């Protein structure tokens, strides 16, 4: 399965912080925001990943992440010349996907939960169609919204409705079969001039091939697109890390636990970071395994 991280956009809700740097490179507690969606894809066992960003930001991502070989994965990069909507990831990345199943994650979304890998594994087991995840929120009007009937069957999908039909928001993690680029290529731009991810999901809904799984209270989904939500995400990560003594969203540690790399390679990843708590943590994990 292929993986796509969409890390474009101007991040205007975070100005002036994002006037000179991509929001996905801002820190969420002790590591860059982009580490979290990257780790989520890795937890799904995905090793072939495309990162899409703006022409001015792409080099910074390449400097930070490289080609991924140090953590046992392959990262390639693609420019998004202009913000054209989330579904544009599949028109731009059609050659990368190459009609294979794929997962798309938004670069400013953070997921956490003990059963996250199992949840994503369940989505991957379906050979056709699409699987998305719904999360109960207080203000659903900021998101794509899914409504259900009494039998939990999907009734409707709406993009940022003024009067949401439910409090279930569609999260920024999507699993698609190989038809996603074809469907995306046939979408019409919305009134905002963008290819909406909700419209792509509607294509699957109309074909009877959309599965929506509700994420319960054991999961956390954090959208870091505003100053308040960015700060809250940092506090959430800090609290868990300090209480549990474990990292959340560490690509290097995840690569080790997924057997993408061994202990010696993990220790090598920490080289140059020995003076930081993050580097010391990676070294301790490698030493425990040696």
């Amino acid at each position: 399965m292929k993986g796509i991280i969409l890390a474009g956009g101007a991040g205007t809700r975070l100005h002036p912080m994002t006037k000179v740097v991509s929001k996905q490179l801002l820190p969420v507690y002790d590591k860059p925001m982009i580490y979290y969606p990257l780790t989520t894809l890795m937890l799904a066992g995905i090793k072939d990943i495309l990162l899409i960003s703006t022409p001015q930001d792409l080099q910074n991502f390449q400097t930070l992440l490289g080609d991924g070989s140090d953590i046992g994965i392959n990262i390639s990069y693609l420019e998004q010349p202009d913000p054209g909507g989330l579904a544009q990831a599949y028109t731009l990345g059609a050659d990368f996907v190459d009609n294979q199943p794929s997962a798309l994650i938004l670069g400013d979304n953070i997921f956490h939960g003990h059963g996250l890998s199992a949840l994503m594994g369940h989505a991957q087991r379906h050979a056709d169609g699409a699987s998305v995840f719904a999360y109960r929120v207080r203000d659903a009007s900021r998101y794509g919204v899914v409504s259900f009937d009494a039998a939990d069957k999907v009734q409707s999908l709406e993009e940022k409705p003024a009067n949401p039909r439910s409090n279930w928001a569609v999260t920024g993690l999507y699993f698609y079969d190989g038809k996603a680029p074809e469907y995306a290529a046939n979408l019409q731009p919305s009134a905002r001039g963008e290819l909406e991810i909700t419209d792509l999901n509607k294509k699957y809904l109309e074909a009877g091939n959309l599965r929506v799984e509700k994420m319960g209270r054991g999961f956390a989904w954090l959208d870091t697109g505003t100053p308040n939500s960015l700060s809250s995400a940092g506090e959430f990560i800090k609290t868990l890390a300090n209480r549990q003594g474990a990292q959340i969203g560490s690509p290097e540690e995840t690569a080790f636990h997924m057997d993408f790399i061994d202990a010696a390679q993990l220790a090598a990843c920490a080289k140059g970071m020995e003076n930081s708590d993050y580097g010391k943590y990676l070294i301790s994990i490698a030493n425990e395994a040696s």
Side-chain angles (χ1 to χ4, degrees):
M1 174 170 274
K2 302 292 188 77
I4 301 177
I5 304 175
L6 186 56
T12 54
R13 291 183 298 168
L14 287 168
H15 278 178
M17 289 185 286
T18 51
K19 279 195 169 186
V20 295
V21 66
S22 166
K23 67 178 176 181
Q24 291 88 0
L25 290 170
L26 294 176
V28 178
Y29 182 45
D30 61 347
K31 62 187 74 69
M33 186 188 298
I34 196 66
Y35 275 27
Y36 298 92
L38 175 60
T39 300
T40 298
L41 293 183
M42 293 171 65
L43 285 170
I46 298 172
K47 300 174 74 174
D48 197 4
I49 296 169
L50 174 68
L51 190 149
I52 301 176
S53 190
T54 64
Q56 61 268 29
D57 292 315
L58 210 58
Q59 182 58 56
N60 288 331
F61 286 107
Q62 291 176 297
T63 300
L64 175 67
L65 302 173
D67 62 5
S69 58
D70 59 331
I71 54 174
I73 64 175
N74 176 58
I75 305 175
S76 52
Y77 299 87
L78 188 65
E79 290 185 359
Q80 183 183 32
D82 299 293
L86 305 185
Q88 191 186 37
Y90 279 100
T91 60
L92 294 173
D95 289 342
F96 169 79
V97 172
D98 193 27
N99 300 314
Q100 297 180 49
S102 62
L104 169 66
I105 189 168
L106 306 187
D108 62 355
N109 276 215
I110 297 174
F111 294 87
H112 181 68
H114 179 68
L116 183 59
S117 292
L119 188 69
M120 293 188 291
H122 183 259
Q124 288 175 286
R125 283 193 288 273
H126 295 283
D128 60 351
S131 293
V132 301
F133 306 96
Y135 193 90
R136 191 173 182 85
V137 297
R138 185 174 2 182
D139 181 14
S141 64
R142 295 173 49 205
Y143 307 99
V145 177
V146 57
S147 64
F148 303 90
D149 62 17
D152 260 359
K153 183 177 179 180
V154 178
Q155 282 188 314
S156 68
L157 288 168
E158 303 173 281
E159 179 64 24
K160 295 183 175 66
N163 299 295
R165 297 181 184 180
S166 82
N167 289 105
W168 289 99
V170 178
T171 72
L173 176 63
Y174 318 86
F175 286 80
Y176 296 114
D177 62 16
K179 295 178 182 176
E182 175 189 344
Y183 283 159
N186 289 309
L187 293 179
Q188 295 299 315
S190 66
R192 301 191 300 170
E194 298 185 357
L195 299 181
E196 304 289 354
I197 199 72
T198 296
D199 290 338
L200 176 58
N201 293 334
K202 282 181 179 179
K203 290 284 188 182
Y204 282 96
L205 179 60
E206 292 163 3
N209 263 336
L210 177 71
R211 291 171 292 275
V212 181
E213 299 195 40
K214 294 179 177 178
M215 300 182 83
R217 294 187 180 184
F219 295 98
W221 170 51
L222 306 172
D223 173 8
T224 55
T226 67
N228 281 340
S229 60
L230 178 63
S231 177
S232 295
E235 286 299 318
F236 175 81
I237 299 297
K238 177 183 176 182
T239 299
L240 286 182
N242 288 343
R243 177 172 288 272
Q244 298 176 351
Q247 282 287 337
I248 296 170
S250 167
E252 299 91 348
E253 183 185 12
T254 300
F256 174 67
H257 288 310
M258 295 292 292
D259 292 324
F260 296 172
I261 59 174
D262 59 25
Q265 290 169 305
L266 177 60
C269 288
K271 191 173 182 180
M273 295 192 288
E274 298 93 341
N275 289 333
S276 71
D277 289 341
Y278 185 77
K280 292 173 183 175
Y281 174 80
L282 296 181
I283 292 170
S284 70
I285 296 295
N287 288 340
E288 287 174 9
S290 299

